[in-house]
Amino acid sequence: AIAVTLAIPLALAPAASAHGAHHNAGVDVRAGYYTQWSVYSGFTPKSVVDNGDASHLNEIQYAFINVAPNTAVAGNPIECSSADSWADWQTPYYDASNSVNGQNDTGVLHGNFNQLIELKKKVPNIKVVASLGGCTWADGCADAALTKQSRQHLVQSCVDMLVEGRHFFPGTDAEA
């Protein structure tokens, strides 16, 4: 399977150029995956702080973002999409004891995305990147890579969802 990694700016991580800079500067990358579905087992982004991992990592790879045809758009272009919107941005952290900042989620963005933003605020040296595809959601990667236009469309859809906050609430103009 093809796994593609895309830096997520917007509070989750610095710009992609800064992400590359720590690799070029000879800084060791100490990365760990945080899987989207971990929230269902009770392992939250706060757990990364509580168990001490946050102090040892400088990169968290959020696994996984789906890469698939968007059947709602003419031509079914390959786009970034959430494979589990409940885990990504809808799961409310009502119990402040499992929230990174110790407070209940407020606003429109909840779930792992919001908690990773809070983790980034608490531990600013951690870069959060999105792992696209994985073994089950990588089917669209090869088609997305075929042309310059398809690559640009995939990247723009990832930016729209992960950086600009679009697509969080399909059918509305709401953004995080």
Side-chain angles (χ1 to χ4, degrees):
I2 299 170
V4 180
T5 304
L6 173 72
I8 309 172
L10 184 68
L12 291 181
S17 61
H19 174 75
H22 85 237
H23 291 283
N24 297 333
V27 174
D28 290 334
V29 176
R30 295 175 316 277
Y33 275 103
Y34 180 82
T35 56
Q36 178 182 61
W37 54 87
S38 292
V39 66
Y40 300 120
S41 68
F43 188 77
T44 66
K46 182 178 186 287
S47 303
V48 177
V49 175
D50 290 348
N51 71 12
D53 287 344
S55 64
H56 300 288
L57 298 173
N58 58 13
E59 186 171 292
I60 291 179
Q61 298 174 5
Y62 185 71
F64 291 100
I65 301 298
N66 194 13
V67 177
N70 183 343
T71 57
V73 176
N76 300 328
I78 306 299
E79 296 184 347
C80 263
S81 63
S82 173
D84 185 345
S85 60
W86 181 254
D88 286 343
W89 65 80
Q90 294 173 350
T91 302
Y93 281 79
Y94 289 125
D95 182 356
S97 69
N98 67 4
S99 173
V100 171
N101 66 2
Q103 300 175 14
N104 295 343
D105 278 342
T106 60
V108 295
L109 182 63
H110 297 186
N112 291 332
F113 287 176
N114 187 47
Q115 290 303 305
L116 289 170
I117 289 170
E118 294 301 324
L119 177 64
K120 178 74 178 136
K121 289 177 185 175
K122 187 175 197 87
V123 188
N125 68 308
I126 290 182
K127 292 154 184 57
V128 180
V129 298
S131 292
L132 305 184
C135 66
T136 57
W137 295 314
D139 291 345
C141 289
D143 288 339
L146 285 177
T147 68
K148 181 178 180 179
Q149 181 181 359
S150 62
R151 290 187 298 272
Q152 288 174 335
H153 186 86
L154 174 65
V155 169
Q156 187 59 56
S157 73
C158 293
V159 169
D160 286 349
M161 184 177 96
L162 300 169
V163 177
E164 299 297 329
R166 295 184 186 106
H167 308 297
F168 286 152
F169 304 97
T172 72
D173 291 331
E175 294 182 11

